[in-house]
Amino acid sequence: MPTSKVTVHFSCPVKQVWETVTDLTRTAWRSDLARVAVLDETHFIEHTKSGYATNFTVTACEPPRRWAFVMENGNMSGSWEGFFEKTADGTRLTCTETVNAKCWWMRPFVPGYLKRQQKRYLNDLRKELNHGNQAGTNTGH
């Protein structure tokens, strides 16, 4: 299964990054989503703006250090894990995502898809954190 691992730095407290990423009731900052339906503490469904639904099951929630889940929709299954680390000047977030396409003909496109999705997500997150932290600047590594 293709895996993409990205580490980025944000010049804001780890608690702020954690709360922004894990608060499923506030997802307007996500440019790819129309809405998120929270089913219970460990299950939620993301609905893209094009109407596509992906089911998520949280597998680890260790505030404010680690959040992980498995995901599945009609095209793929996979997992995501985020590690949140306090640094001298902010927060380091390491995201690892693994995706397996359900259709054989989609598999060659998965690595590019993963990179685009992670880039979009992290750009959206950076904009949201900058909006709430005007004094700081965020840079990705």
Side-chain angles (χ1 to χ4, degrees):
M1 283 195 278
T3 298
S4 179
K5 183 176 183 177
V6 178
T7 300
V8 293
H9 179 266
F10 301 103
S11 59
C12 53
V14 69
K15 183 179 180 204
Q16 182 182 358
V17 179
W18 171 267
E19 288 174 355
T20 302
V21 170
T22 62
D23 186 350
L24 300 174
T25 65
R26 294 188 193 151
T27 58
W29 59 271
R30 297 271 309 270
S31 65
D32 58 331
L33 295 183
R35 66 186 178 91
V36 175
V38 178
L39 305 178
D40 58 39
E41 272 187 29
T42 59
H43 298 93
F44 61 98
I45 302 170
E46 288 185 352
H47 298 268
T48 65
K49 289 184 176 177
S50 62
Y52 206 75
T54 301
N55 296 293
F56 293 81
T57 301
V58 176
T59 57
C61 184
E62 302 164 19
R65 192 177 74 76
R66 179 174 171 246
W67 196 44
F69 46 76
V70 293
M71 56 198 164
E72 184 167 11
N73 63 33
N75 293 327
M76 63 86 188
S77 62
S79 63
W80 184 93
E81 184 171 40
F83 283 99
F84 302 73
E85 300 171 84
K86 181 179 179 179
T87 63
D89 59 347
T91 303
R92 179 182 312 115
L93 172 59
T94 301
C95 305
T96 305
E97 188 168 7
T98 302
V99 172
N100 184 42
K102 291 184 175 180
C103 299
W104 65 268
W105 57 269
M106 295 176 88
R107 292 185 183 136
F109 302 104
V110 171
Y113 166 81
L114 268 177
K115 289 193 185 312
R116 282 190 310 279
Q117 285 295 104
Q118 279 193 327
K119 183 177 181 180
R120 182 178 193 176
Y121 177 84
L122 293 170
N123 284 341
D124 287 349
L125 180 58
R126 184 172 292 111
K127 287 177 191 172
E128 177 65 13
L129 292 170
N130 275 336
H131 178 74
N133 185 26
Q134 292 298 325
T137 59
N138 298 329
T139 58
H141 308 331

